Amino acid sequence: TFGRLVYNRIRDRAGAKDDLQAIESPQEFQRSGSTATGAALEVCRNWFYKIASIRELLPRIYVELSIIASYRFIGCQPFSQILTRLSRAIRGVGDPLVAQYARVYLIRMALVVEPNPNVIRNLIVEMSTDFAATMKPMLTEEAKLSQRAVRLLDRSRVSAEDYFDLYTPALEFMYGIGSQGGGEAIVQRLLTSYESGPRLASVL
């Protein structure tokens, strides 16, 4: 993938030996970590400078997430802080469906770089609350489509049923990862955050 190609290029310049594709857990990824110096550090920083110059929010988020593992070579801040920053940036994505799949990709990359499962669970709880907030303008209190939702569906040329069904895989993935191994307390937090917004019958 694009992210692995960038990572491997910086890794080679840094003189590291690990293969990102072969790393099987975030813990192993952290143990293999080393910061870059000289030319490798310059290449790494240059990639993130280029990403920061992308004007459109969604491409900037996706490209940064795709090479998030390369932050290892800079060592500027914990991955938990980087992931939190990016998850909050997703709040600026206008289409709730597009935003939700961006959260799924963030979780997928978090599973690669973040060794602490509690960090990922807390991140998912926050993103679940964000999801609920983005859905509130889509449905009225009577669970009917709002004017905003009607306009969005008209542009997308899909039925309401088909549109809301598209959320199901993304939400099942997010809540499945969030509740995995977290016990009753984390499940309750996820339910509370989900129920703070309009509920989709196809999910829970």
Side-chain angles (χ1 to χ4, degrees):
T1 64
F2 168 72
R4 189 171 71 249
L5 290 172
V6 172
Y7 179 90
N8 288 345
R9 183 186 177 206
I10 300 170
R11 175 208 63 192
D12 292 342
R13 292 211 172 193
K17 302 297 183 183
D18 62 287
D19 183 351
L20 185 61
Q21 191 174 17
I23 293 174
E24 296 181 351
S25 71
Q27 290 78 12
E28 185 180 346
F29 175 78
Q30 292 289 336
R31 287 195 298 270
S32 68
S34 62
T35 55
T37 58
L41 181 60
E42 185 66 25
V43 169
C44 189
R45 284 178 172 168
N46 190 44
W47 269 108
F48 288 109
Y49 289 149
K50 288 177 180 177
I51 292 170
S53 68
I54 299 174
R55 290 190 176 186
E56 294 80 6
L57 176 62
L58 193 62
R60 187 167 69 246
I61 290 171
Y62 270 108
V63 176
E64 185 170 356
L65 280 172
S66 71
I67 69 167
I68 191 171
S70 297
Y71 272 115
R72 187 197 93 172
F73 298 108
I74 300 178
C76 56
Q77 59 184 160
F79 279 107
S80 58
Q81 293 181 18
I82 299 169
L83 291 165
T84 298
R85 171 176 59 79
L86 289 170
S87 74
R88 292 173 181 175
I90 293 172
R91 295 171 181 173
V93 177
D95 187 322
L97 181 62
V98 174
Q100 186 54 34
Y101 276 92
R103 294 185 187 103
V104 166
Y105 186 56
L106 186 148
I107 295 168
R108 181 178 177 275
M109 298 310 297
L111 293 171
V112 174
V113 301
E114 177 51 58
N116 187 344
N118 287 326
V119 168
I120 298 176
R121 292 188 193 108
N122 289 332
L123 192 64
I124 290 175
V125 170
E126 183 175 303
M127 289 194 292
S128 176
T129 303
D130 291 344
F131 167 74
T134 61
M135 291 306 296
K136 283 182 179 179
M138 298 289 289
L139 297 170
T140 65
E141 292 182 0
E142 296 79 21
K144 295 181 179 179
L145 293 177
S146 66
Q147 288 300 313
R148 177 187 175 186
V150 170
R151 289 194 298 270
L152 190 152
L153 293 174
D154 286 343
R155 288 199 306 270
S156 304
R157 297 183 180 180
V158 296
S159 67
E161 182 179 0
D162 288 342
Y163 175 79
F164 288 111
D165 278 347
L166 292 172
Y167 284 94
T168 303
L171 293 174
E172 286 181 346
F173 176 82
M174 184 173 78
Y175 290 117
I177 296 297
S179 60
Q180 194 172 45
E184 185 177 345
I186 191 68
V187 172
Q188 187 58 50
R189 289 177 64 197
L190 288 168
L191 281 172
T192 301
S193 63
Y194 179 78
E195 291 174 350
S196 65
R199 279 168 273 180
L200 302 182
S202 60
V203 180
L204 291 177

